[in-house]
Amino acid sequence: MTGHERVTTFTRDGLTFDVRDEGPIDGLPVVLLHGFPQDSRSWNKVAPLLHRRGVRTLAPDQRGYSPGARPRARWAYRMSELQKDIAALIEQAGLGPVHLVGHDWGAAVAWGLATSQPELVRTLTALSVPHPAAFGRAVLTSRQLLKSWYMVAFQLPWIPERVIAPDGPAYRVLLASGQSADEAKRDLEPMRDRSRAQGALNWYRAIPFASPGSLTDKVRVPTLFVWSDGDTAIGPVGPKLTAQFVDAPYTFEVLHGVSHWIPDEAPERVAELLGNHLLGQS
């Protein structure tokens, strides 16, 4: 592709991924990566605000979420594969280096791609989840391990698939975390499809396959990190440590009174911060 054609799908290793490509076709290219248990719709409030600023957004449904990209083996969801998926999107779209934005697990993928293939990333923006090395230190030195209990629970077979079903306990957990009822239903309803639920959970089940060395690499592209102090999943220690792992212009923003679900809950503020970050580095 030339970069001036709409991208509705891309392929890699026999898998087909769905993409929401919106905004001005010649606009500043921004790739938006969703987290768990969401999909590209998690950016529905942010994307239109970016389009008004002349930004073109490409939001893929990532591995496990796109119907055509749901391998069954958990090792197929290791971080290196998730990063290569997004590299394939950028390369096939013909966009050159892009502004890369990720929330939750999408932030983890964005951190990884920015370190492994910085030539594809013009700027990095991570929402909620800190640099992997900072997160690892937080697990060892703070209450972060208690906050991340579900990462261990999701290693179990079969049971988590039932937990994240629309009528399972996950709905109440999402509400308790600050998500609205409508958005919790939006994210859990697709989990009726067992293959999707398994694919989404396999992101957690593939954690043991991560390469430890790659987690400590520093980011060397301009970086914006946004954390919210109402986040029940990510405590303050990892976010505070993240600056140590960025060797480039770095901005850290704290959203007060906002839950983990930043793109849904504070889209105007996210769009404002992104606009300043992207346009300031373009």
PDB file of all heavy atoms in Angstrom, residues 230-254:
ATOM      1  N   GLY A 230      -7.020   6.748  40.073  1.00  0.00           N
ATOM      2  CA  GLY A 230      -8.131   5.892  40.459  1.00  0.00           C
ATOM      3  C   GLY A 230      -8.012   4.491  39.897  1.00  0.00           C
ATOM      4  O   GLY A 230      -8.975   3.705  39.942  1.00  0.00           O
ATOM      5  N   ASP A 231      -6.833   4.150  39.389  1.00  0.00           N
ATOM      6  CA  ASP A 231      -6.604   2.847  38.763  1.00  0.00           C
ATOM      7  C   ASP A 231      -6.480   1.768  39.841  1.00  0.00           C
ATOM      8  O   ASP A 231      -5.576   1.824  40.681  1.00  0.00           O
ATOM      9  CB  ASP A 231      -5.321   2.902  37.931  1.00  0.00           C
ATOM     10  CG  ASP A 231      -5.191   1.746  36.961  1.00  0.00           C
ATOM     11  OD1 ASP A 231      -5.574   0.614  37.329  1.00  0.00           O
ATOM     12  OD2 ASP A 231      -4.691   1.967  35.849  1.00  0.00           O
ATOM     13  N   THR A 232      -7.383   0.793  39.812  1.00  0.00           N
ATOM     14  CA  THR A 232      -7.340  -0.299  40.794  1.00  0.00           C
ATOM     15  C   THR A 232      -6.387  -1.408  40.389  1.00  0.00           C
ATOM     16  O   THR A 232      -6.079  -2.288  41.200  1.00  0.00           O
ATOM     17  CB  THR A 232      -8.744  -0.896  41.001  1.00  0.00           C
ATOM     18  OG1 THR A 232      -9.232  -1.390  39.741  1.00  0.00           O
ATOM     19  CG2 THR A 232      -9.713   0.152  41.542  1.00  0.00           C
ATOM     20  N   ALA A 233      -5.903  -1.390  39.133  1.00  0.00           N
ATOM     21  CA  ALA A 233      -5.022  -2.458  38.650  1.00  0.00           C
ATOM     22  C   ALA A 233      -3.549  -2.068  38.680  1.00  0.00           C
ATOM     23  O   ALA A 233      -2.682  -2.933  38.821  1.00  0.00           O
ATOM     24  CB  ALA A 233      -5.409  -2.854  37.227  1.00  0.00           C
ATOM     25  N   ILE A 234      -3.262  -0.792  38.542  1.00  0.00           N
ATOM     26  CA  ILE A 234      -1.883  -0.315  38.480  1.00  0.00           C
ATOM     27  C   ILE A 234      -1.654   0.712  39.576  1.00  0.00           C
ATOM     28  O   ILE A 234      -2.248   1.797  39.575  1.00  0.00           O
ATOM     29  CB  ILE A 234      -1.563   0.322  37.112  1.00  0.00           C
ATOM     30  CG1 ILE A 234      -1.857  -0.656  35.968  1.00  0.00           C
ATOM     31  CG2 ILE A 234      -0.112   0.793  37.072  1.00  0.00           C
ATOM     32  CD1 ILE A 234      -0.951  -1.859  35.924  1.00  0.00           C
ATOM     33  N   GLY A 235      -0.795   0.372  40.530  1.00  0.00           N
ATOM     34  CA  GLY A 235      -0.458   1.288  41.602  1.00  0.00           C
ATOM     35  C   GLY A 235       0.533   2.351  41.161  1.00  0.00           C
ATOM     36  O   GLY A 235       1.018   2.340  40.020  1.00  0.00           O
ATOM     37  N   PRO A 236       0.914   3.273  42.050  1.00  0.00           N
ATOM     38  CA  PRO A 236       1.748   4.424  41.674  1.00  0.00           C
ATOM     39  C   PRO A 236       3.230   4.136  41.512  1.00  0.00           C
ATOM     40  O   PRO A 236       3.946   4.943  40.910  1.00  0.00           O
ATOM     41  CB  PRO A 236       1.514   5.404  42.825  1.00  0.00           C
ATOM     42  CG  PRO A 236       1.207   4.530  44.000  1.00  0.00           C
ATOM     43  CD  PRO A 236       0.437   3.368  43.443  1.00  0.00           C
ATOM     44  N   VAL A 237       3.727   3.023  42.032  1.00  0.00           N
ATOM     45  CA  VAL A 237       5.177   2.797  42.031  1.00  0.00           C
ATOM     46  C   VAL A 237       5.723   2.602  40.616  1.00  0.00           C
ATOM     47  O   VAL A 237       6.705   3.246  40.216  1.00  0.00           O
ATOM     48  CB  VAL A 237       5.543   1.603  42.929  1.00  0.00           C
ATOM     49  CG1 VAL A 237       7.034   1.286  42.822  1.00  0.00           C
ATOM     50  CG2 VAL A 237       5.171   1.902  44.378  1.00  0.00           C
ATOM     51  N   GLY A 238       5.119   1.717  39.833  1.00  0.00           N
ATOM     52  CA  GLY A 238       5.573   1.488  38.463  1.00  0.00           C
ATOM     53  C   GLY A 238       5.569   2.752  37.627  1.00  0.00           C
ATOM     54  O   GLY A 238       6.569   3.060  36.951  1.00  0.00           O
ATOM     55  N   PRO A 239       4.479   3.527  37.641  1.00  0.00           N
ATOM     56  CA  PRO A 239       4.482   4.789  36.902  1.00  0.00           C
ATOM     57  C   PRO A 239       5.599   5.739  37.318  1.00  0.00           C
ATOM     58  O   PRO A 239       6.224   6.390  36.472  1.00  0.00           O
ATOM     59  CB  PRO A 239       3.100   5.366  37.219  1.00  0.00           C
ATOM     60  CG  PRO A 239       2.247   4.150  37.391  1.00  0.00           C
ATOM     61  CD  PRO A 239       3.127   3.163  38.096  1.00  0.00           C
ATOM     62  N   LYS A 240       5.890   5.815  38.611  1.00  0.00           N
ATOM     63  CA  LYS A 240       6.953   6.715  39.075  1.00  0.00           C
ATOM     64  C   LYS A 240       8.327   6.256  38.621  1.00  0.00           C
ATOM     65  O   LYS A 240       9.226   7.070  38.402  1.00  0.00           O
ATOM     66  CB  LYS A 240       6.906   6.823  40.604  1.00  0.00           C
ATOM     67  CG  LYS A 240       5.705   7.590  41.129  1.00  0.00           C
ATOM     68  CD  LYS A 240       5.684   7.621  42.641  1.00  0.00           C
ATOM     69  CE  LYS A 240       4.456   8.366  43.166  1.00  0.00           C
ATOM     70  NZ  LYS A 240       4.386   8.345  44.657  1.00  0.00           N
ATOM     71  N   LEU A 241       8.515   4.947  38.470  1.00  0.00           N
ATOM     72  CA  LEU A 241       9.807   4.409  38.069  1.00  0.00           C
ATOM     73  C   LEU A 241      10.045   4.460  36.560  1.00  0.00           C
ATOM     74  O   LEU A 241      11.181   4.295  36.104  1.00  0.00           O
ATOM     75  CB  LEU A 241       9.926   2.956  38.535  1.00  0.00           C
ATOM     76  CG  LEU A 241       9.999   2.705  40.041  1.00  0.00           C
ATOM     77  CD1 LEU A 241       9.942   1.207  40.318  1.00  0.00           C
ATOM     78  CD2 LEU A 241      11.273   3.299  40.622  1.00  0.00           C
ATOM     79  N   THR A 242       9.004   4.684  35.796  1.00  0.00           N
ATOM     80  CA  THR A 242       9.094   4.550  34.337  1.00  0.00           C
ATOM     81  C   THR A 242      10.096   5.507  33.710  1.00  0.00           C
ATOM     82  O   THR A 242      10.759   5.155  32.721  1.00  0.00           O
ATOM     83  CB  THR A 242       7.696   4.722  33.718  1.00  0.00           C
ATOM     84  OG1 THR A 242       6.902   3.569  34.048  1.00  0.00           O
ATOM     85  CG2 THR A 242       7.760   4.843  32.207  1.00  0.00           C
ATOM     86  N   ALA A 243      10.251   6.698  34.253  1.00  0.00           N
ATOM     87  CA  ALA A 243      11.188   7.674  33.672  1.00  0.00           C
ATOM     88  C   ALA A 243      12.599   7.109  33.547  1.00  0.00           C
ATOM     89  O   ALA A 243      13.357   7.501  32.643  1.00  0.00           O
ATOM     90  CB  ALA A 243      11.204   8.942  34.515  1.00  0.00           C
ATOM     91  N   GLN A 244      12.972   6.171  34.415  1.00  0.00           N
ATOM     92  CA  GLN A 244      14.313   5.582  34.386  1.00  0.00           C
ATOM     93  C   GLN A 244      14.559   4.763  33.122  1.00  0.00           C
ATOM     94  O   GLN A 244      15.716   4.466  32.790  1.00  0.00           O
ATOM     95  CB  GLN A 244      14.528   4.693  35.605  1.00  0.00           C
ATOM     96  CG  GLN A 244      14.397   5.388  36.940  1.00  0.00           C
ATOM     97  CD  GLN A 244      14.558   4.420  38.098  1.00  0.00           C
ATOM     98  OE1 GLN A 244      15.195   3.371  37.968  1.00  0.00           O
ATOM     99  NE2 GLN A 244      13.967   4.750  39.238  1.00  0.00           N
ATOM    100  N   PHE A 245      13.475   4.399  32.436  1.00  0.00           N
ATOM    101  CA  PHE A 245      13.600   3.511  31.285  1.00  0.00           C
ATOM    102  C   PHE A 245      13.270   4.213  29.967  1.00  0.00           C
ATOM    103  O   PHE A 245      12.998   3.553  28.963  1.00  0.00           O
ATOM    104  CB  PHE A 245      12.717   2.283  31.493  1.00  0.00           C
ATOM    105  CG  PHE A 245      13.082   1.519  32.733  1.00  0.00           C
ATOM    106  CD1 PHE A 245      12.389   1.726  33.919  1.00  0.00           C
ATOM    107  CD2 PHE A 245      14.141   0.635  32.731  1.00  0.00           C
ATOM    108  CE1 PHE A 245      12.732   1.043  35.077  1.00  0.00           C
ATOM    109  CE2 PHE A 245      14.502  -0.050  33.877  1.00  0.00           C
ATOM    110  CZ  PHE A 245      13.807   0.159  35.057  1.00  0.00           C
ATOM    111  N   VAL A 246      13.313   5.527  29.972  1.00  0.00           N
ATOM    112  CA  VAL A 246      13.103   6.305  28.754  1.00  0.00           C
ATOM    113  C   VAL A 246      14.307   7.221  28.562  1.00  0.00           C
ATOM    114  O   VAL A 246      14.565   8.097  29.385  1.00  0.00           O
ATOM    115  CB  VAL A 246      11.811   7.140  28.812  1.00  0.00           C
ATOM    116  CG1 VAL A 246      11.636   7.922  27.502  1.00  0.00           C
ATOM    117  CG2 VAL A 246      10.605   6.257  29.062  1.00  0.00           C
ATOM    118  N   ASP A 247      15.040   7.010  27.476  1.00  0.00           N
ATOM    119  CA  ASP A 247      16.194   7.834  27.141  1.00  0.00           C
ATOM    120  C   ASP A 247      15.833   8.704  25.943  1.00  0.00           C
ATOM    121  O   ASP A 247      16.372   8.557  24.844  1.00  0.00           O
ATOM    122  CB  ASP A 247      17.391   6.936  26.840  1.00  0.00           C
ATOM    123  CG  ASP A 247      18.679   7.728  26.664  1.00  0.00           C
ATOM    124  OD1 ASP A 247      18.682   8.937  26.998  1.00  0.00           O
ATOM    125  OD2 ASP A 247      19.682   7.149  26.189  1.00  0.00           O
ATOM    126  N   ALA A 248      14.878   9.601  26.179  1.00  0.00           N
ATOM    127  CA  ALA A 248      14.345  10.478  25.137  1.00  0.00           C
ATOM    128  C   ALA A 248      13.448  11.502  25.837  1.00  0.00           C
ATOM    129  O   ALA A 248      13.181  11.358  27.039  1.00  0.00           O
ATOM    130  CB  ALA A 248      13.540   9.669  24.112  1.00  0.00           C
ATOM    131  N   PRO A 249      12.968  12.527  25.134  1.00  0.00           N
ATOM    132  CA  PRO A 249      12.018  13.447  25.767  1.00  0.00           C
ATOM    133  C   PRO A 249      10.852  12.675  26.371  1.00  0.00           C
ATOM    134  O   PRO A 249      10.262  11.817  25.712  1.00  0.00           O
ATOM    135  CB  PRO A 249      11.577  14.340  24.603  1.00  0.00           C
ATOM    136  CG  PRO A 249      12.742  14.328  23.669  1.00  0.00           C
ATOM    137  CD  PRO A 249      13.315  12.943  23.763  1.00  0.00           C
ATOM    138  N   TYR A 250      10.536  12.991  27.630  1.00  0.00           N
ATOM    139  CA  TYR A 250       9.553  12.187  28.369  1.00  0.00           C
ATOM    140  C   TYR A 250       8.610  13.096  29.145  1.00  0.00           C
ATOM    141  O   TYR A 250       9.038  14.036  29.822  1.00  0.00           O
ATOM    142  CB  TYR A 250      10.274  11.246  29.331  1.00  0.00           C
ATOM    143  CG  TYR A 250       9.368  10.429  30.220  1.00  0.00           C
ATOM    144  CD1 TYR A 250       8.534   9.457  29.685  1.00  0.00           C
ATOM    145  CD2 TYR A 250       9.347  10.633  31.602  1.00  0.00           C
ATOM    146  CE1 TYR A 250       7.707   8.696  30.498  1.00  0.00           C
ATOM    147  CE2 TYR A 250       8.534   9.881  32.424  1.00  0.00           C
ATOM    148  CZ  TYR A 250       7.704   8.909  31.874  1.00  0.00           C
ATOM    149  OH  TYR A 250       6.885   8.167  32.678  1.00  0.00           O
ATOM    150  N   THR A 251       7.318  12.787  29.041  1.00  0.00           N
ATOM    151  CA  THR A 251       6.290  13.510  29.786  1.00  0.00           C
ATOM    152  C   THR A 251       5.445  12.520  30.554  1.00  0.00           C
ATOM    153  O   THR A 251       4.989  11.516  29.989  1.00  0.00           O
ATOM    154  CB  THR A 251       5.379  14.318  28.837  1.00  0.00           C
ATOM    155  OG1 THR A 251       6.179  15.223  28.069  1.00  0.00           O
ATOM    156  CG2 THR A 251       4.336  15.108  29.625  1.00  0.00           C
ATOM    157  N   PHE A 252       5.238  12.784  31.832  1.00  0.00           N
ATOM    158  CA  PHE A 252       4.401  11.930  32.683  1.00  0.00           C
ATOM    159  C   PHE A 252       3.229  12.753  33.179  1.00  0.00           C
ATOM    160  O   PHE A 252       3.412  13.803  33.800  1.00  0.00           O
ATOM    161  CB  PHE A 252       5.228  11.397  33.852  1.00  0.00           C
ATOM    162  CG  PHE A 252       4.449  10.575  34.849  1.00  0.00           C
ATOM    163  CD1 PHE A 252       3.470   9.682  34.442  1.00  0.00           C
ATOM    164  CD2 PHE A 252       4.708  10.689  36.215  1.00  0.00           C
ATOM    165  CE1 PHE A 252       2.761   8.918  35.354  1.00  0.00           C
ATOM    166  CE2 PHE A 252       4.014   9.929  37.136  1.00  0.00           C
ATOM    167  CZ  PHE A 252       3.038   9.040  36.709  1.00  0.00           C
ATOM    168  N   GLU A 253       2.024  12.302  32.894  1.00  0.00           N
ATOM    169  CA  GLU A 253       0.805  12.995  33.291  1.00  0.00           C
ATOM    170  C   GLU A 253      -0.033  12.090  34.193  1.00  0.00           C
ATOM    171  O   GLU A 253      -0.201  10.905  33.890  1.00  0.00           O
ATOM    172  CB  GLU A 253      -0.033  13.400  32.070  1.00  0.00           C
ATOM    173  CG  GLU A 253       0.603  14.458  31.176  1.00  0.00           C
ATOM    174  CD  GLU A 253       0.495  15.858  31.771  1.00  0.00           C
ATOM    175  OE1 GLU A 253      -0.330  16.051  32.692  1.00  0.00           O
ATOM    176  OE2 GLU A 253       1.216  16.754  31.293  1.00  0.00           O
ATOM    177  N   VAL A 254      -0.558  12.651  35.270  1.00  0.00           N
ATOM    178  CA  VAL A 254      -1.446  11.931  36.177  1.00  0.00           C
ATOM    179  C   VAL A 254      -2.845  12.520  36.063  1.00  0.00           C
ATOM    180  O   VAL A 254      -3.029  13.733  36.218  1.00  0.00           O
ATOM    181  CB  VAL A 254      -0.961  12.018  37.636  1.00  0.00           C
ATOM    182  CG1 VAL A 254      -1.947  11.297  38.557  1.00  0.00           C
ATOM    183  CG2 VAL A 254       0.430  11.415  37.777  1.00  0.00           C
TER     184      VAL A 254
END
